[in-house]
Amino acid sequence: MADIEDILAVERIDDDIYRGSAFASALRRTFGGQVAGQALVAATRTVGAEFGVHSLHGYFLRPGKPHQPTVFLVDRIRDGRSFVTRRVNGVQNGETIFSMSASFHVADDEGIEHQDTMPPAPDPESLPDGSELEGTAKLLRAEWDNFDVRIVPPDQLVTHGWFASQQRVWFRYRKPLPDDQLLHVCTLAYMSDMTLLGSSKVAHPDATVQSASLDHAMWFLRPFRADDWLLYDQTSPSASHARSLTQGRIYDRAGRMVAAVTQEGLTRTGVPEGKATFIAVRE
């Protein structure tokens, strides 16, 4: 696959208009993390260096065509002293495929601080690296070969009985990245769409589903590196009416919570197995 720096290198077309390149893909539609990451980069190009990304909220409106570039139109909603807001629409063939609001916050604000404790998980280097996968899972591993994704096996997963469906995943970008926090943030936005919807399948291991991301919200809490191991603690508190709600909390190896994610995705059953769409590594 292409390097993440190339994927996120959106091209400026005009004031507040950018274009994200297309890259070879085995997926039937443009990977949601790619669209979200490129949209976030486009938004950051219109914001001063004193502001850092603190949240994004996106809707996947139409399936993107992976062989076509996406044009991103940025709307400057608000420029405040402490917060800046942008809206970005990703367009292909004159139709909006993705819509996102992104908020930015100055880095030197001070306030109270606390966080939940990172849940227990085995050391990532002790887990299978995915080389043993077969079938669809093997193809998806090849799709994201630059990312090291290791799912904690069920027999090593410390679970909570009141959670309906849960999994934990260690992941990182394999290659060293520059010391640019914005690049790490946008890389994690890309990575955050990987495996999260698969947490809804844990409670239904034998189900064949058509799945796709519907909306995606993310909060960036503390600085981190996307090229170092991050633990993605995932739960799916509800699934009904062909939609699954999923949540994720992301920790670095030191136990600091660096990001939080909420996503709703399509998980439709009754689809012939050959037509089911799998977009998450676990699936």
Side-chain angles (χ1 to χ4, degrees):
M1 66 172 294
D3 289 340
I4 194 66
E5 295 100 319
D6 295 329
I7 292 173
L8 297 176
V10 298
E11 174 191 4
R12 181 182 180 276
I13 304 300
D14 204 337
D15 289 348
D16 301 339
I17 303 176
Y18 298 86
R19 178 167 53 205
S21 298
F23 298 90
S25 174
L27 302 180
R28 298 181 183 180
R29 56 178 142 234
T30 306
F31 173 54
Q34 175 178 314
V35 180
Q38 290 179 340
L40 186 57
V41 172
T44 63
R45 297 283 178 85
T46 70
V47 175
E50 69 273 24
F51 292 93
V53 185
H54 86 84
S55 69
L56 64 85
H57 296 71
Y59 286 90
F60 299 95
L61 304 176
R62 294 179 176 88
K65 298 176 174 59
H67 61 282
Q68 292 186 10
T70 304
V71 174
F72 296 97
L73 310 176
V74 182
D75 190 3
R76 302 182 185 226
I77 301 298
R78 179 178 183 268
D79 288 277
R81 288 177 297 180
S82 298
F83 290 89
V84 169
T85 306
R86 297 290 185 261
R87 180 181 296 123
V88 186
N89 286 332
V91 178
Q92 286 186 344
N93 298 326
E95 293 185 325
T96 301
I97 65 168
F98 180 72
S99 182
M100 181 183 77
S101 293
S103 183
F104 300 79
H105 184 205
V106 292
D108 58 356
D109 251 359
E110 296 182 358
I112 63 172
E113 184 167 341
H114 64 262
Q115 69 157 71
D116 287 347
T117 301
M118 184 175 82
D123 191 83
E125 280 89 358
S126 71
L127 300 176
D129 63 2
S131 57
E132 78 290 350
L133 297 174
E134 298 293 338
T136 301
K138 184 176 182 178
L139 292 174
L140 289 171
R141 182 180 184 274
E143 180 77 19
W144 294 305
D145 192 49
N146 285 343
F147 298 90
D148 198 342
V149 181
R150 306 193 184 194
I151 297 173
V152 177
D155 62 351
Q156 299 184 53
L157 185 66
V158 179
T159 61
H160 294 292
W162 52 86
F163 288 157
S165 190
Q166 55 193 303
Q167 71 176 0
R168 293 191 187 105
V169 180
W170 285 104
F171 62 179
R172 64 176 176 177
Y173 190 69
R174 292 182 186 274
K175 302 179 181 180
L177 294 173
D179 294 331
D180 177 1
Q181 184 59 201
L182 177 58
L183 175 62
H184 289 267
V185 164
C186 294
T187 299
L188 187 58
Y190 181 104
M191 295 166 62
S192 65
D193 194 35
M194 301 166 62
T195 77
L196 182 55
L197 190 52
S199 66
S200 66
K201 279 286 302 296
V202 175
H204 312 275
D206 299 323
T208 299
V209 300
Q210 181 185 29
S211 57
S213 304
L214 296 176
D215 62 354
H216 195 88
M218 192 168 187
W219 294 264
F220 302 93
L221 308 175
R222 293 171 179 85
F224 60 90
R225 294 193 65 91
D227 55 359
D228 198 1
W229 286 112
L230 298 169
L231 180 66
Y232 206 170
D233 180 35
Q234 305 169 344
T235 64
S236 179
S238 177
S240 63
H241 303 289
R243 301 189 313 274
S244 291
L245 179 66
T246 57
Q247 300 172 337
R249 300 181 300 173
I250 301 175
Y251 298 84
D252 65 13
R253 293 193 76 167
R256 300 182 313 134
M257 187 187 300
V258 301
V261 189
T262 298
Q263 181 183 84
E264 188 178 46
L266 177 72
T267 48
R268 178 184 291 140
T269 57
V271 180
E273 187 168 358
K275 293 184 179 180
T277 303
F278 300 100
I279 62 170
V281 170
R282 184 178 180 93
E283 297 170 292

